[in-house]
Amino acid sequence: MNPDEAMRRAVEISKERMRAGDGGPFGAVVVENGKIIGEGNNRVTTANDPTAHAEMVAIRQACAAKGTHDLSGCEIFTSCEPCPMCLAAIYWARLDRMYYANTREDAAHIGFDDALIYGEIAKPIGERSLPMTHMPLDEARRVFQEWQDKEDKVPY
């Protein structure tokens, strides 16, 4: 499967699942060596899960298929430029490359505006619209120290 075919599949998923009433107009596929190993569509409203974006669903499926959290060697094709959550997940999954069709401006034009979140991330914590309180605890630091010293940890 070449990149054009993979992108067309992501867009086809967005169209099929939107028309079926299975969520918003977003689709994604994860590809490894020219083969799709994960597909996803937006399922926020049908799964009652604000994290069930197309990219997240495709990443979860690909990780399950590979039996690992590390998708190095894979690429993701998504019908729209990812929101900040999905973009972070793409980095965390270590995907080699991302391709997208529609832009975040295109999404904003139809009512899916991620500009607030993109803007909030750039602000200092005290200036964000969501109140955030730092509550340092010695117990929390000890857990981190235990992780640092843990000899059988699986790094990620």
Side-chain angles (χ1 to χ4, degrees):
M1 169 172 289
N2 67 43
D4 286 337
E5 292 169 323
M7 182 58 77
R8 290 186 193 294
R9 178 61 188 145
V11 171
E12 184 65 23
I13 291 167
S14 73
K15 180 175 66 176
E16 287 174 0
R17 303 316 309 155
M18 176 197 65
R19 287 180 177 173
D22 196 26
F26 304 98
V29 297
V30 175
V31 175
E32 181 179 44
N33 298 322
K35 181 181 177 210
I36 293 174
I37 62 166
E39 291 188 345
N41 67 289
N42 179 282
R43 305 212 59 235
V44 170
T45 57
T46 53
N48 295 317
D49 179 354
T51 70
H53 291 197
E55 298 89 345
M56 302 294 279
V57 173
I59 288 169
R60 290 173 184 149
Q61 193 178 93
C63 287
K66 288 182 60 77
T68 181
H69 63 276
D70 187 343
L71 296 178
S72 297
C74 301
E75 299 175 325
I76 190 164
F77 295 79
T78 180
S79 65
C80 187
E81 183 178 0
C83 74
M85 174 185 69
C86 293
L87 183 58
I90 289 164
Y91 277 103
W92 281 116
R94 296 182 177 91
L95 287 148
D96 288 359
R97 187 176 182 103
M98 176 186 73
Y99 299 85
Y100 62 96
N102 293 317
T103 66
R104 67 173 106 158
E105 292 82 13
D106 296 329
H109 184 69
I110 62 165
F112 294 93
D113 193 355
D114 300 326
L116 170 72
I117 299 170
Y118 275 108
E120 287 287 298
I121 291 169
K123 292 179 184 176
I125 289 174
E127 295 177 21
R128 294 179 183 166
S129 63
L130 176 67
M132 299 179 185
T133 303
H134 180 211
M135 296 178 63
L137 289 174
D138 289 338
E139 296 91 336
R141 285 190 199 94
R142 284 194 292 272
V143 172
F144 271 24
Q145 184 62 51
E146 187 176 332
W147 171 259
Q148 185 176 12
D149 298 340
K150 187 173 172 55
E151 293 190 20
D152 64 341
K153 66 185 168 202
V154 178
Y156 58 96

